[in-house]
């Protein structure tokens, strides 16, 4: 049965249908493993009262083979209709005219939050001395900023037109090498900032987290990143004054470069992070590397207003290890944990997290992690999935 949105909140049926895209490369291996783990956890937690019906939708190479299209319109429509879905890694087709599938889904459903929780699991090797201090959730703005793709290549008539406009109509004098410059535009809006920061505040309050940090480069880019900071604070003061007054909500801000340094030196200072698109890209990868890398970093793209959410493996298709039973399914499995939490199925989510904690603490992991663990035991993807299932039951 479908999830619906009623009176502003999601209505989750006990037998819920979740559309999924299997994914390319290692997606073919990790998706069934992930589904199996999730099914076992849901079954164990709710004893048959709740269950997931997985509905395969085509995307990526499989879609191209069967339909001649990497992202059939039907797939987008299914994600639109069912509200919540999950996808394995997808290839970005090479060649002119192909859009990135991830970007296409994000834009079509206006999934304005890229949500990335980052925590350390005991047993997993980390470059930090005290990785247990890392526990952050990144809210990365997903639709604006320099990522909007508004750019003109040096030497084209368009770039010359932009240059003329900047000089003649806007009085710009600071372009150092006029003839050899490409140009890009960085739109950052009040609405875009507010919906992102609002989502981060709601998350902070709901989960009773110690602070929300606005990360920006407002010292240099005053009207874009500087406004992000100002609009963020103003929103909090306008809509959450009670929570600010009684200390449930603590908001701070920090310049992006200092933030990256501080995350290594004092990770305990940060809990929920709200940031712009490009900063969010760098930050997500650095934080993921601090706790074990891309094989275990989960993520989701969400529109909290419409309820649309797509949970995903954050790594690529890893063609070098595809088909070898080597891929780490943890990123996709932890994304499913986020999905279960989003559905409010916390008990099932906790069972999976608990199983993963035990597996890693005992040195059981796929090769990418096990090779760096003390006494690590490298398991195949399937065997790792089976280990989790044993630990759940
Ligand atoms: P794509 O072109 O789809 O982005 P890629 O190989 O360029 O693929 P990633 O898939 O992100 O980029 O992989 C980077 C490296 O990390 C590769 O060496 C890959 O084998 C490894 N890797 C990525 N995901 C996993 C995983 N889930 N388990 C184990 N290793 C992984």
């Amino acid at each position: 049965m479908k999830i619906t949105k009623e009176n502003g909140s999601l209505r989750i049926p006990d037998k819920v249908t979740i559309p999924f895209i299997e994914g390319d490369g290692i997606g073919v291996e990790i998706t069934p493993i992930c589904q199996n783990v999730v099914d076992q956890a849901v079954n164990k937690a709710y004893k048959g009262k709740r269950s997931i019906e997985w509905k395969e939708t085509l995307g990526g190479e499989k879609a191209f083979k069967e339909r001649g299209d990497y992202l059939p319109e039907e797939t987008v429509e299914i994600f639109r209709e069912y509200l919540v879905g999950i996808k394995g890694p997808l290839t970005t087709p090479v060649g002119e005219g192909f859009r990135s599938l991830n970007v296409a889904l994000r834009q079509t459903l206006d999934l304005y939050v890229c949500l990335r929780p980052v925590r350390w699991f005991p047993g997993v090797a980390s470059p930090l001395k005290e990785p247990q201090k890392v526990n952050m959730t990144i809210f990365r703005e997903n639709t604006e900023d320099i990522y909007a793709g508004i750019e003109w290549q040096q030497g084209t008539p368009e770039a010359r037109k932009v240059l003329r406009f900047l000089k003649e109509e806007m009085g710009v004098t600071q372009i150092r090498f006029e003839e050899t410059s490409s140009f890009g535009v960085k739109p950052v809006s009040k609405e875009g900032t507010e919906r992102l920061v609002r989502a981060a505040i709601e998350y902070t309050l709901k989960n009773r987290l110690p602070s929300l940090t606005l990360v920006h480069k407002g010292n240099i880019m005053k009207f874009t990143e500087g406004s992000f900071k100002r609009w963020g604070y103003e929103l909090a003061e306008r809509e959450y004054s009670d929570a600010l007054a009684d200390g449930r909500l603590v908001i701070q801000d920090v310049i992006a470069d200092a933030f990256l340094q501080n995350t290594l030196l004092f990770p305990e200072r940060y809990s929920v992070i709200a940031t712009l698109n490009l900063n969010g890209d760098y930050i997500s990868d650095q934080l993921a590397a601090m706790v074990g890398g891309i094989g275990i970093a989960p993520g989701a793209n969400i529109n909290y207003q419409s309820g649309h959410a797509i949970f995903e493996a954050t790594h690529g298709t890893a063609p070098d290890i595809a088909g070898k039973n080597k891929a780490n399914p943890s990123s996709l499995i932890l994304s499913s944990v986020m999905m279960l939490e989003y559905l409010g199925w916390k008990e099932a989510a906790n069972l999976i997290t608990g199983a993963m904690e035990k597996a890693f603490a005992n040195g059981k992991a796929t090769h990418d992690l096990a090779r760096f663990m003390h006494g690590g035991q490298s398991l195949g993807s399937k065997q790792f999935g089976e280990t989790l299932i044993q630990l759940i039951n």
Side-chain angles (χ1 to χ4, degrees):
M1 286 175 68
K2 283 179 202 160
I3 297 172
T4 49
K5 182 125 194 191
E6 285 164 25
N7 305 324
S9 37
L10 293 179
R11 209 188 65 76
I12 316 289
D14 280 339
K15 312 268 177 231
V16 66
T17 306
I18 301 286
F20 73 95
I21 299 178
E22 178 184 69
D24 300 322
I26 58 173
V28 178
E29 296 163 81
I30 61 179
T31 295
I33 294 171
C34 170
Q35 290 171 336
N36 214 348
V37 169
V38 172
D39 287 344
Q40 296 283 341
V42 169
N43 195 34
K44 172 88 180 171
Y46 309 115
K47 315 218 157 27
K49 193 178 157 285
R50 284 177 169 167
S51 61
I52 293 180
E53 183 201 29
W54 301 99
K55 178 181 174 65
E56 176 154 23
T57 52
L58 292 177
E61 280 162 12
K62 202 168 180 179
F64 191 73
K65 272 196 207 112
E66 291 185 25
R67 301 281 157 85
D69 189 349
Y70 283 98
L71 185 61
E73 202 44 48
E74 183 196 329
T75 298
V76 180
E77 278 316 305
I78 288 173
F79 277 103
R80 194 196 298 285
E81 199 181 324
Y82 285 82
L83 290 175
V84 176
I86 187 158
K87 67 177 184 57
L90 291 171
T91 316
T92 297
V94 204
E96 291 271 317
F98 287 125
R99 341 179 257 177
S100 147
L101 307 181
N102 299 323
V103 174
L105 277 172
R106 218 172 279 166
Q107 283 176 350
T108 316
L109 300 177
D110 195 21
L111 305 173
Y112 60 86
V113 172
C114 175
L115 183 63
R116 293 285 187 89
V118 183
R119 61 156 288 192
W120 178 68
F121 285 89
V124 174
S126 158
L128 299 190
K129 284 204 191 95
E130 298 180 295
Q132 71 280 5
K133 290 183 173 173
V134 181
N135 195 354
M136 299 184 215
T137 305
I138 307 161
F139 281 74
R140 165 185 173 189
E141 206 290 324
N142 226 358
T143 63
E144 301 196 299
D145 198 0
I146 205 80
Y147 260 74
I150 312 169
E151 289 194 305
W152 296 279
Q153 173 66 44
Q154 177 274 332
T156 59
E158 290 79 13
R160 276 192 287 277
K161 201 167 171 182
V162 172
L163 176 67
R164 221 168 31 244
F165 168 73
L166 290 175
K167 282 174 62 180
E168 290 170 14
E169 295 194 35
M170 304 302 290
V172 170
T173 54
Q174 322 72 324
I175 301 168
R176 180 70 185 82
F177 297 110
E178 290 183 351
E179 290 311 314
T180 56
S181 290
S182 290
F183 296 97
V185 173
K186 178 182 173 77
V188 176
S189 71
K190 189 168 183 216
E191 280 104 315
T193 300
E194 287 188 348
R195 64 181 185 172
L196 185 271
V197 174
R198 192 179 289 113
I201 293 177
E202 291 289 339
Y203 184 92
T204 308
L205 293 174
K206 189 167 163 227
N207 295 290
R208 298 164 191 259
L209 293 166
S211 66
L212 167 63
T213 306
L214 305 171
V215 180
H216 60 91
K217 281 291 284 184
N219 54 336
I220 306 296
M221 292 168 274
K222 295 194 184 351
F223 300 140
T224 49
E225 306 236 349
S227 297
F228 175 87
K229 169 184 120 177
R230 184 162 62 79
W231 291 326
Y233 276 123
E234 285 173 1
L235 173 89
E237 278 153 24
R238 198 172 65 241
E239 294 185 9
Y240 299 92
S241 54
D242 290 354
L244 283 171
D246 64 24
R248 276 178 299 136
L249 179 62
V250 174
I251 296 208
Q252 55 188 359
D253 76 278
V254 60
I255 304 289
D257 44 319
F259 175 75
L260 284 172
Q261 176 174 267
N262 289 348
T263 54
L264 294 171
L265 300 173
F266 321 105
E268 69 280 8
R269 284 188 191 170
Y270 304 111
S271 174
V272 182
I273 314 301
T275 193
L276 301 100
N277 209 336
L278 181 62
N279 296 334
D281 186 43
Y282 301 149
I283 290 169
S284 305
D285 272 23
Q286 166 163 322
L287 294 188
M290 283 160 47
V291 295
I294 53 177
I296 57 166
N301 295 300
I302 303 178
N303 180 324
Y304 285 93
Q305 290 160 353
S306 66
H308 285 111
I310 299 184
F311 297 81
E312 63 180 4
T314 60
H315 52 73
T317 57
D320 53 335
I321 55 166
K324 296 183 178 160
N325 191 33
K326 274 188 175 174
N328 186 349
S330 302
S331 168
L332 197 59
I333 293 174
L334 288 171
S335 298
S336 311
V337 168
M338 291 172 71
M339 182 180 81
L340 292 168
E341 284 166 354
Y342 188 76
L343 301 181
W345 294 12
K346 196 122 191 80
E347 300 77 9
N350 290 345
L351 281 174
I352 301 176
T353 311
M356 211 172 264
E357 282 168 354
K358 279 190 209 129
F360 292 148
N362 291 322
K364 290 189 189 328
T366 45
H367 184 65
D368 54 312
L369 297 182
R371 64 187 157 165
F372 299 121
M373 289 172 156
H374 287 295
Q377 185 190 347
S378 289
L379 301 178
S381 318
K382 284 188 193 147
Q383 291 68 36
F384 179 67
E386 282 157 15
T387 302
L388 292 181
I389 289 170
Q390 273 166 16
L391 290 166
I392 286 169
N393 285 308

